[in-house]
Amino acid sequence: EDSTLQKTEFSASIFKDSAFTGTTCDDCSFNESTLNNVMFEEDAPVLNSRFLKSPLQECNFMATNLHSIQFYRCNLTGSDFTKAQLQQCNFDHVVARDVIFYKSDLTGSSFRSANLIQATFEKANLADCDFTGATLFRTNVSKVRLTPETRFDGAFRDQLEVYPIYRDKLNVNALFTNE
C-alpha cells in the first residue's frame, strides 16, 4: 500500500543500496545525508524537498517526479535522472559529472555555477533554465528544447556534444542565441 511521508526529517542519514518505492516524500529534508546507490521508483515521487549539501552518488531517479527539489551543493556524480520530471528544481553549485538527464523535463530549473562535465541532457526540456556560470565541458546537448528565457551567461561551453549528423549543419553556438 502506498504511503506519504510529510515534513519528515532525514538529515545526516545514510542510505546505501536501498530503494524508495510506493512512498511519496513531500516537504522532507535529506540535508547533509549520504545516498549511495539508492533507487527512487517511479511510484515514489519526491516533492518540495531538500537534499542540501548531500552526496547522492550513483542514485537512480529514472521517470520519478521530483518537483521543486533543492539539490543545492549536492554531489550527484553518476546519478541517472532519465525521463524524470524535475520542474523548478535548484541544482546550483552541484557537482553533476556524468549525470544523465536524458529526456528529462527540467523546466524552470537552475544550474548556476554547476559542474556538468560530461553530463547528458540529450532530448531534455531546458525551457526557462538558468545555466549562468555553469561548466558544460563535453556536455551532451543534442536535441534539447530551449526558450529565449534559458540562460547561459558566463557558462563554459567548450566541446559541447551534439549528434554527429547535425554537427556540420549546426553552429553549436546557435543553440545559445539568447545571449
Side-chain angles (χ1 to χ4, degrees), residues 142-177:
S142 297
K143 293 191 171 183
V144 294
R145 180 173 180 264
L146 304 174
T147 59
E149 291 76 24
T150 305
R151 306 298 320 157
F152 290 92
D153 303 320
F156 182 78
R157 306 183 308 233
D158 197 29
Q159 297 183 33
L160 286 175
E161 294 185 14
V162 295
Y163 285 126
I165 192 170
Y166 299 105
R167 203 168 282 140
D168 293 335
K169 298 177 186 176
L170 174 70
N171 174 356
V172 173
N173 288 326
L175 287 171
F176 312 102
T177 57

Side-chain angles (χ1 to χ4, degrees), residues 36-92:
N36 193 327
N37 194 33
V38 174
M39 176 181 281
F40 286 80
E41 298 277 354
E42 186 174 352
D43 65 350
V46 183
L47 312 169
N48 309 304
S49 296
R50 295 154 308 287
F51 291 87
L52 306 178
K53 299 180 183 177
S54 299
L56 287 84
Q57 296 181 328
E58 304 293 330
C59 291
N60 183 332
F61 297 93
M62 290 174 61
T64 304
N65 182 356
L66 299 157
H67 187 74
S68 297
I69 304 299
Q70 299 293 317
F71 289 106
Y72 182 79
R73 291 200 183 273
C74 287
N75 184 339
L76 305 171
T77 300
S79 292
D80 191 344
F81 293 90
T82 297
K83 297 183 180 178
Q85 299 300 309
L86 293 152
Q87 299 92 348
Q88 305 298 322
C89 290
N90 181 336
F91 292 94
D92 292 351

